[in-house]
Structures are given as structure tokens and as C-alpha cells.
Amino acid sequence: MDENTHRSSSSAYDPQQPYGSGGYHGSYPPPPPYVPQEPVTTPAGMTVWPSAEGTGSGIPEGPAPAHVKRKPRRPIALLAAVALVSGLIGGGTAALVGNMTSTQATTMTTTKVVNASSSSSGVAAIASAVSPSIVEITATSSAGEATGSGVIVTSGGEIVTNNHVITGASSIKVAFSDGKTATATVVGTDKNKDLALIKAQSVSGLTTATLGDSSGVTVGDEVVAIGSPEGLTGTVTSGIISALNRDVTVSTEDNSQSQSQGGGGGGGGGQWPFSFGGQQYNGTTGSSTTTYKALQTDAALNPGNSGGALINMSGQIIGINSAMYSASSSSSSSSGSGSIGLGFAIPINTVKSDLATLRSGGTSN
């Protein structure tokens, strides 16, 4: 083999030759020409650039090599797809995200928060729920008019009040929370417990009070009082239970003097006389008296609250307000009158145990 022959055979492969030229032909075709892609504008006016994959992208078509692992698509790819579809229907990605944010905000801001200071709870809720069950009572006698309060116990018009509110009355009128009025008659009285049951005439569908359990009352419990002090119908006050089982003594006499002094607090500024701890309040109780165990409260009670409701924070009646002390009633030198936080109520369990007796006419002694 001569030198020319050796050079001829070695020219079949020359690593220095450029790609696609010279001695190795047909194994590596020239790359396809790059064709730039134009953006596409959707009917909604959104400009979309075609994907880098597929025909005309500059990358040969065909399945990916087996040894090459495709990376999982990121959420941005899904968002881009949603954007494309949303753009076609006229919404766009911004609208989609905006709607999602708006819905979430609405859900969060419509959550109701109830607290004791809101109008849907606490004293406001008690007043709203129980006031329709409390009435103002005006008892007329030869001595004048006396004003007190009462609690509706049946939808047909039965009303519990204090005996001293209606004692000696020739006529009785009740005023409801909605402003309507009706005449009433006495069903039964119990002077020994200072309780009376009257019935409003020609009424039906009244809102009745829920009678609770006074045996579960403890000192410090919050309470609400509703009544008609000085003729101010539907007055609401609040306080706590100050003490339990107070021995309160009241008069059982049916006399015009008691009526003229207020008989429950109406007119003249007087109050029904009672005694406690050996002391006389609001005048003298006389020689005919009765004593009962009472709940003591600092909720403001004034003339006209007698016979009204003392209510727990569940809206249940736990007592019938019966006696209250005013400094001016025992001292002529006092310049003002009103509650000083010493009020007493007949426990509701006493009332419930006496209802049958009252409905049958009450006691005769």
C-alpha cells in the first residue's frame, strides 16, 4: 500500500470535518429551519402565545426518550390553561381570582358574633322577651287610685299580682305592653302571702310568662325587674340578688289609709308599708300583719313595681316584686324619694304552690 492509498482510505472518517460535510453522510440530517410563531388573539381580545411544544416550535416531534423523565407540570400551567379558557368566555384570570376572593371575604364577614353588650342578648333580650307578659294595674277605690303591676300566667288573661295592689278596689283596669286595656275581676286572694289572682275580661292569645325555680337562685345572680313605677308602664331595671330568705312583714288590713298611701305605689308618692329586722318602712304596718320569706335585690324598685316580675337571665320569672324601701318615706327631712337598692320579692315557688288556692277563691282569713 502506497502513501496515496493510505491517505485515500483514511479520508473516510475525519473527526475534524464539520457536521454534515465530508466523509460521513446521511446519519445526522441538518436541523429544521426555525419558524417564529405569531401570537393569537382570542375573540375576547386576549393575546395568547402558542406553547413551545408541537409543530413549528423548533423541537422535533415524537415521543420523549425513555430515559428522560418529564417534570410534573407546575400549578402555573393549570392557571395558564384556566386563563385561556376564561379568556375565551370573557372572564380572564383576574376575574376568576377576584370572584374567589370576594366569596371568601363574604363568608368571613357574615359570621355573627353575639355578646352580652349586643341588642340580641343580656338585659335587652330579657326586656324584649318578657315585657309582653307584664301589665300595669290600676285599682280604683273610694280613696282614689293605686297603681301596681302584674304577671300574665295564662293566655286567657289570668294575672298574678300582690294582694295589697288590689285590696279594697271597686274596679280594676289592666294595660298591656301593646297599649291595649281591659277590665279585670278578682279571682282569689291570699293575704297571708300577699298574693292575688285577677282575670282580664274578653282577652285571648296573651303572651304568658315562664315561671322559673326560685330554689336555684343564689346571691350574686343577675336579675331584671319589669313593672310600672309611678305609672311608667314597662320600665326595666337590673341588678343582682343581694340576699335570700329575708323575713318581710306586710300589712293584711284592707283599709282606705293604705290605699291612699299608694297601695302599690300609685299617686301621693307613698308605698305599701312593711317591716324588716324590727324596723318599720314606708309607714306603719298596723296590728294585722303577715310575714314571708323574700328574695332581696338591688334592682331599682319604686312605687308601682309591686306585683311586677323579678326575672333571671334565662327570661324566667323567679319572684313577684312586693316591697321596696325609699329613704324619704321614713324621714320627713329627706328631700327626695326613690329606690336605694333595697327591694324584696316573693319567691316564684311560693306563687306556684299557691296558684290552685287562688284559682279556687283564695283564703278567707
Side-chain angles (χ1 to χ4, degrees):
M1 178 182 300
D2 58 17
E3 183 178 351
N4 291 333
T5 304
H6 176 76
R7 289 180 178 175
S8 175
S9 61
S10 63
S11 65
Y13 172 74
D14 188 348
Q16 302 300 320
Q17 294 293 325
Y19 175 78
S21 63
Y24 196 81
H25 301 283
S27 297
Y28 294 93
Y34 173 75
V35 180
Q37 300 296 309
E38 296 296 329
V40 178
T41 301
T42 67
M46 176 178 287
T47 300
V48 180
W49 290 89
S51 170
E53 296 179 9
T55 304
S57 64
I59 300 176
E61 295 184 352
H67 64 280
V68 178
K69 294 185 178 179
R70 290 183 178 270
K71 293 184 179 181
R73 293 178 181 268
R74 296 179 181 270
I76 189 65
L78 177 60
L79 183 60
V82 173
L84 177 59
V85 175
S86 300
L88 293 176
I89 62 175
T93 306
L96 176 65
V97 175
N99 288 338
M100 293 172 61
T101 305
S102 174
T103 302
Q104 183 179 18
T106 302
T107 302
M108 294 176 64
T109 55
T110 55
T111 302
K112 286 191 70 175
V113 178
V114 178
N115 55 60
S117 64
S118 73
S119 61
S120 60
S121 64
V123 175
I126 301 301
S128 176
V130 183
S131 289
S133 302
I134 312 302
V135 302
E136 177 183 298
I137 298 175
T138 302
T140 304
S141 70
S142 58
E145 287 186 345
T147 304
S149 305
V151 177
I152 301 172
V153 293
T154 64
S155 61
E158 285 187 344
I159 299 168
V160 169
T161 187
N162 288 138
N163 177 65
H164 73 254
V165 171
I166 53 87
T167 186
S170 57
S171 66
I172 301 172
K173 183 178 73 173
V174 297
F176 301 97
S177 63
D178 60 3
K180 296 179 180 179
T181 62
T183 58
T185 57
V186 176
V187 176
T189 61
D190 189 340
K191 295 184 293 184
N192 294 324
K193 296 178 180 176
D194 195 17
L195 291 172
L197 184 69
I198 64 175
K199 189 176 189 305
Q201 303 299 302
S202 303
V203 296
S204 62
L206 300 179
T207 301
T208 61
T210 300
L211 306 185
D213 181 4
S214 54
S215 67
V217 175
T218 60
V219 174
D221 284 351
E222 293 181 275
V223 290
V224 175
I226 303 179
S228 300
E230 305 293 358
L232 300 174
T233 306
T235 296
V236 178
T237 58
S238 64
I240 63 169
I241 295 294
S242 305
L244 306 174
N245 300 317
R246 294 299 200 193
D247 289 324
V248 174
T249 301
V250 298
S251 175
T252 59
E253 295 176 349
D254 299 337
N255 55 55
S256 59
Q257 179 64 21
S258 295
Q259 283 289 320
S260 63
Q261 289 181 344
Q271 299 187 47
W272 184 252
F274 73 98
S275 64
F276 169 72
Q279 299 294 318
Q280 297 280 331
Y281 301 99
N282 307 338
T284 177
T285 57
S287 59
S288 179
T289 62
T290 185
T291 300
Y292 56 82
K293 298 289 185 180
L295 303 173
Q296 181 180 330
T297 180
D298 69 349
L301 301 178
N302 290 289
N305 274 110
S306 288
L310 190 65
I311 311 156
N312 64 19
M313 299 309 289
S314 295
Q316 301 169 333
I317 313 299
I318 57 170
I320 299 297
N321 299 320
S322 58
M324 63 290 303
Y325 169 64
S326 175
S328 64
S329 64
S330 60
S331 174
S332 59
S333 61
S334 298
S335 59
S337 62
S339 172
I340 61 172
L342 288 176
F344 302 91
I346 302 169
I348 200 62
N349 285 5
T350 300
V351 178
K352 291 192 292 186
S353 65
D354 205 36
L355 273 176
T357 299
L358 293 172
R359 285 181 173 130
S360 63
T363 59
S364 57
N365 54 10

